[in-house]
Amino acid sequence: MTTTTTTTTVNGLPALPLGTTGMDITRVGFGSWAVSGANWRFSWGATDDAESIAAIRHAVASGVNWIDTAAVYGLGHSEELVGKAVAELPEAERPYLFTKAGLVWDPADPKAAPRRIMKPASVRREIEDSLRRLGVDHIDLYQVHYPDTGESLEYAGGGFGAVSPNATPLEEYWQVMADLKAEGKVRAIGLSNHSADQLAAAERIAHVDVIQPPFSAINRSAAAEIAWAHAHDTGVIVYSPLQSGLLTGAFTADRAANLSADDWRSAHADFTTGLAANLQLADALRPVAERHGASVAEVAIAWALAWPGITGAIVGARKSGQADGWIGAGGVELARADLDEIASAITASGAGTGPARP
């Protein structure tokens, strides 16, 4: 069943109901992967904690009413920063806090790839650690970061790990998530990076409140999962709508060539072999942005938000001013002609894979 939703306004920003969770969320939310700091496998390079906290608070002061993080970001550091950023806010002004479990790291080898583990005992340890780091008594949305394979997670290596005999079946770990919700430790539960078949299997056990797939004009591979969610009253928050900075309009080939060695993007295909096509697509968004009086980043995010079923998009910032470049994305309404123009640009550039138009 698909429920018709109506855009409302929260804190001055456009908002939509997040599935059946009872939470209305602004169409853009703050993502805290990029502020997680250095010295772990999927770092964006060194960051300044004071600047990171200021960036989070600025986004919230600008109207954003949800923050997405994960235990693995900075190996707990991102959750700690989020906790510090919201701790002094009055209760009525606090944003919803969303986090994830299932990527487990080795403290003795922080730069090793984390393992995808969703064993019940591990999940229960993780949620207690997340509650402590965030400084809250419940989590508004608790998500499974990746399907459990029992093996390591690799981004730049071209794969996401093979399934081993140690893998926890989806039915087992989704039941644990449902139990946490029943116990009041979490308000809603979600699945990130799961296929449509996996979503259907989970739905037979407990309602999938929210999904979190990657989605942008470059990475359009989650269209089937978004359609599944739209048909099942499941909220959708997409990550990397700017493809990790490539669709901001400010990224250049020189910047890509000078990414620090401890920035995961420096070895990723999107920033190496696929860079030219991706920057061509970003440049093609400029005329659309000019017509709407918006930034290239806002148009790129608005393109993702135009897809039926998508509730909100996660966007990062490492400094306060960066959020100002995308905060208005939820108010950019792309016309059919805009979507046609962007679809033609996607096809012409050869960037990414998946359908080019909602």
Side-chain angles (χ1 to χ4, degrees):
M1 180 178 70
T2 301
T3 300
T4 301
T5 55
T6 303
T7 302
T8 58
T9 301
V10 172
N11 301 335
L13 296 180
L16 282 176
L18 183 59
T20 58
T21 66
M23 293 181 278
D24 284 5
I25 64 168
T26 51
R27 300 216 70 196
V28 287
F30 188 94
S32 64
W33 178 13
V35 301
S36 59
N39 300 316
W40 68 290
R41 184 60 168 265
F42 301 114
S43 165
W44 292 60
T47 52
D48 180 283
D49 285 354
E51 284 187 341
S52 298
I53 290 172
I56 295 169
R57 289 178 175 166
H58 180 73
V60 173
S62 300
V64 167
N65 79 335
W66 55 287
I67 298 172
D68 183 82
T69 186
V72 76
Y73 296 161
L75 312 186
H77 189 57
S78 175
E79 287 186 332
E80 290 173 347
L81 288 176
V82 171
K84 290 177 181 177
V86 305
E88 297 178 7
L89 295 176
E91 191 67 30
E93 297 176 17
R94 288 195 177 194
Y96 295 124
L97 300 184
F98 304 163
T99 192
K100 312 176 200 74
L103 291 184
V104 179
W105 63 91
D106 180 359
D109 189 6
K111 291 200 173 181
R115 294 177 62 202
R116 294 163 56 166
I117 298 173
M118 279 295 296
K119 293 185 183 301
S122 180
V123 175
R124 288 191 173 275
R125 282 194 300 271
E126 281 204 68
I127 193 168
E128 295 303 329
D129 287 341
S130 290
L131 289 168
R132 172 179 50 78
R133 287 189 290 255
L134 292 167
V136 295
D137 60 6
H138 77 280
I139 289 165
D140 295 300
L141 171 63
Y142 201 45
Q143 302 156 99
V144 181
H145 211 146
Y146 277 91
D148 185 333
T149 61
E151 297 296 334
S152 68
L153 172 72
E154 290 288 356
Y155 283 22
F160 293 108
V163 176
S164 82
N166 297 322
T168 307
L170 180 147
E171 293 78 6
E172 187 174 340
Y173 66 72
W174 190 240
Q175 183 61 60
V176 174
M177 297 289 284
D179 291 344
L180 292 174
K181 181 179 176 181
E183 294 164 16
K185 289 185 178 292
V186 301
R187 181 171 178 175
I189 52 177
L191 292 167
S192 180
N193 300 301
H194 282 63
S195 70
D197 285 345
Q198 290 169 324
L199 299 178
E203 184 74 8
R204 290 192 287 270
I205 297 161
H207 181 51
V208 179
D209 292 322
V210 180
I211 66 168
Q212 185 185 138
F215 198 68
S216 74
I218 293 172
N219 182 358
R220 308 176 301 278
S221 60
E225 288 70 39
I226 293 166
W228 182 95
H230 188 43
H232 289 83
D233 288 341
T234 292
V236 181
I237 54 174
V238 296
Y239 72 86
S240 295
L242 296 177
Q243 205 62 25
S244 303
L246 286 168
L247 295 175
T248 60
F251 212 90
T252 64
D254 284 345
R255 185 174 172 188
N258 287 288
L259 288 170
S260 64
D262 61 349
D263 187 325
W264 68 271
R265 296 175 296 176
S266 64
H268 194 283
D270 282 344
F271 294 82
T272 53
T273 56
L275 182 65
N278 294 337
L279 293 182
Q280 179 183 331
L281 174 56
D283 197 50
L285 300 181
R286 295 185 191 281
V288 181
E290 290 172 4
R291 288 198 298 271
H292 285 271
S295 68
V296 170
E298 286 169 335
V299 167
I301 298 165
W303 180 89
L305 294 176
W307 284 71
I310 292 182
T311 316
I314 301 165
V315 196
R318 294 204 265 187
K319 298 181 180 180
S320 295
Q322 291 175 335
D324 296 335
W326 50 257
I327 197 74
V332 176
E333 296 187 15
L334 298 177
R336 179 171 297 182
D338 296 323
L339 294 172
D340 288 342
E341 183 175 335
I342 294 171
S344 296
I346 289 171
T347 301
S349 69
T353 57
R357 200 186 190 289

